[in-house]
Amino acid sequence: QLQLQESGSGLVKPSQTLSLTCAVSGGSLSSGGYSWSWIRQPPGKGLEWIGNIYHSGTTNYNSSLKSRVTISVDKSKNQFSLKLSSVTAADTAVYYCARDSPGIPFDIWGQGTMVTVSS
Amino acid sequence: QSVLAQPPSVSGAPGQRVTISCTGSSSNIGADYDVHWYQQLPGTAPKLLIFGNTNRPSGVPDRFSGSKSGTSASLAITGLQAEDEADYYCQSYDSSLTGFVFGSGTQVTVL
């Protein structure tokens, strides 16, 4: 059964870059038809889609974050990553990785990882 | 401010039926993009509840049902149970924003 697991720094200083990785187990990230997304949820607030990537490397980003976001894939390690630059306190959130396919979106989620932006 | 509007909260007694609305616009739900629903229990990751407007993934009880009309969609929970207390989010695609969008979320309370 496919599983996703986020990892990365839980505390990031303002103006620095947030870096997270999502490890895919129980299946291949290169399986056709799927894309791999990052979604975040600030404390006590709703969900926000950050962007996604296909195994080919094609990416799509939330227009409100596009200037600061980079999502990449490492097929050899079966994982994909998120980098968010110039972070502020507003970027404090639980960050989730998730799988989606046409017609059946976000069907598998990681458990989420809390990232706090603070000096 | 979320692109898809949901009521902040709904409540009902055990066994009752509750509905959650999700109101969008001509660039998302009204543009015939599918609506999906997620259930988020406290302290856990969201779980896909309804996909493609009306379809339930394997394992989701048939007490949950979805519908869509025009620029809105709805999630209905019949035979409300204590375990249904959670936050519920709708989700779709927006052609103006060229990306996925979520609703503002609705907290369901079982009285």
Side-chain angles (χ1 to χ4, degrees), chain B residues 86-103:
Chain B
D87 293 326
Y88 294 82
Y89 294 89
C90 60
Q91 179 257 311
S92 186
Y93 180 85
D94 191 284
S95 58
S96 295
L97 300 174
T98 59
F100 296 116
V101 290
F102 285 93

